Amino acid sequence: MSPGGLGHLKSPAPGRTRSVSDSSAPRTEPMAKTSTPAFGKNGKSAGQQGSPWETLVVFAINLKQLTVQMNMSNVMGNNTWTTSGLKSQGRLSVGSNRDREISMSVGLGRSKLDSKGGVVGGNIDVNTLEMVAHISEHPNQQPGHKIQITMGSTEARVDYMGSSILMGVFSNADLQLQDEWKVNLCTVDSSLSEKSEIFVHGDLQWDIFQVIISRSTTPDLIKIGMKLQEFFTQQFDTSKRALSTWGPGPYLPPKTPVSAEKGATELCKGHRGAHHSLHWI
């Protein structure tokens, strides 16, 4: 073979390479478009996003009797809480198009809290308590919330330093609450100048409502509140100190709170004249 013949054989190679590359470029582009599926933001394909779904949860609770006994040192002494006849049932429905329906009912036969042997004492007795609630929320519709509470009879007595400072009776009470929304749902972008109104309609009825107080009821209630706050603060502080021994971090105690008796005395002196009308209406 002569050198001229070799040059003749090699000359068509660049032309064939250009023709193959030019012809293959447009053929690979439509294959990439047809083979790749379209995914949404949540990682699902467009066909899976359009399928609607709905979830329904139904629950029921039945408690015959529950008794809790605890000792709260010399602040409230021995406490006994007894609850009987507790029943509850409800349903929760949620849909893919933001539909929401919640219905729940709670019934209580009797609940009594008795405290004796401490600085603060007394008892609270609740009989026949019923509650019904309903929540309805649908797109392009005004939401609705309803609640109704019915109470048979409630008796309460509060003691401080061995003497009764407050006694009350509340019987055959019925409370109904319902909201009303007036919001423009046609426009998506609502401006601040657009008028929107929300009303809450309430109806309260009762048969007997009696309260007996004394001259020292208001300052004694303030002292009771400060004593309970100091007691629970100390209990939480002790619990945190005990739990911190299990963890790696050091425990930093809070600042020393003001004494309950001193704070109550100063509060009563400061509010005796200026805020006297806030306690006696």
Side-chain angles (χ1 to χ4, degrees), residues 25-210:
R27 293 178 184 177
T28 57
E29 185 176 356
M31 292 177 63
K33 290 184 179 180
T34 56
S35 61
T36 304
F39 288 88
K41 295 181 179 180
N42 54 358
K44 296 183 179 181
S45 60
Q48 295 179 356
Q49 289 182 353
S51 58
W53 55 267
E54 183 179 0
T55 302
L56 177 63
V57 180
V58 181
F59 66 91
I61 300 174
N62 187 6
L63 181 62
K64 184 177 180 181
Q65 186 173 353
L66 174 65
T67 302
V68 179
Q69 296 180 355
M70 51 188 171
N71 184 277
M72 299 179 64
S73 69
N74 61 345
V75 178
M76 294 186 66
N78 298 321
N79 297 266
T80 303
W81 178 37
T82 304
T83 302
S84 60
L86 177 61
K87 299 180 180 180
S88 176
Q89 61 181 358
R91 64 190 305 272
L92 168 63
S93 177
V94 179
S96 58
N97 56 349
R98 296 183 301 174
D99 287 334
R100 185 181 302 174
E101 288 280 347
I102 302 176
S103 300
M104 184 179 63
S105 63
V106 179
L108 178 64
R110 185 179 182 183
S111 181
K112 183 178 181 180
L113 176 62
D114 191 4
S115 176
K116 57 181 64 176
V119 178
V120 182
N123 58 54
I124 300 176
D125 192 357
V126 180
N127 294 313
T128 316
L129 178 64
E130 298 179 357
M131 184 186 69
V132 179
H134 180 72
I135 298 175
S136 176
E137 297 181 359
H138 300 278
N140 300 327
Q141 294 183 9
Q142 305 292 349
H145 307 81
K146 300 179 182 178
I147 185 172
Q148 181 177 2
I149 301 175
T150 304
M151 186 185 305
S153 63
T154 302
E155 299 179 0
R157 189 187 81 249
V158 181
D159 301 337
Y160 181 71
M161 300 295 292
S163 60
S164 299
I165 61 173
L166 178 64
M167 290 183 289
V169 177
F170 193 45
S171 65
N172 297 332
D174 188 7
L175 175 62
Q176 297 180 6
L177 294 175
Q178 180 179 357
D179 59 351
E180 180 182 359
W181 295 63
K182 293 184 178 181
V183 182
N184 189 8
L185 301 176
C186 297
T187 58
V188 179
D189 299 331
S190 58
S191 59
L192 297 176
S193 60
E194 185 179 357
K195 186 177 181 181
S196 301
E197 297 177 348
I198 301 176
F199 300 93
V200 178
H201 305 281
D203 186 9
L204 176 61
Q205 299 177 0
W206 68 86
D207 187 13
I208 299 175
F209 181 36
Q210 298 177 353

Side-chain angles (χ1 to χ4, degrees), residues 225-256:
M226 300 192 69
K227 275 187 172 295
L228 293 178
Q229 181 182 3
E230 182 182 4
F231 173 76
F232 286 112
T233 302
Q234 292 178 355
Q235 294 298 319
F236 285 130
D237 187 20
T238 305
S239 302
K240 291 179 181 179
R241 187 184 296 108
L243 294 175
S244 64
T245 57
W246 298 351
Y251 173 75
L252 299 176
K255 298 181 180 180
T256 305

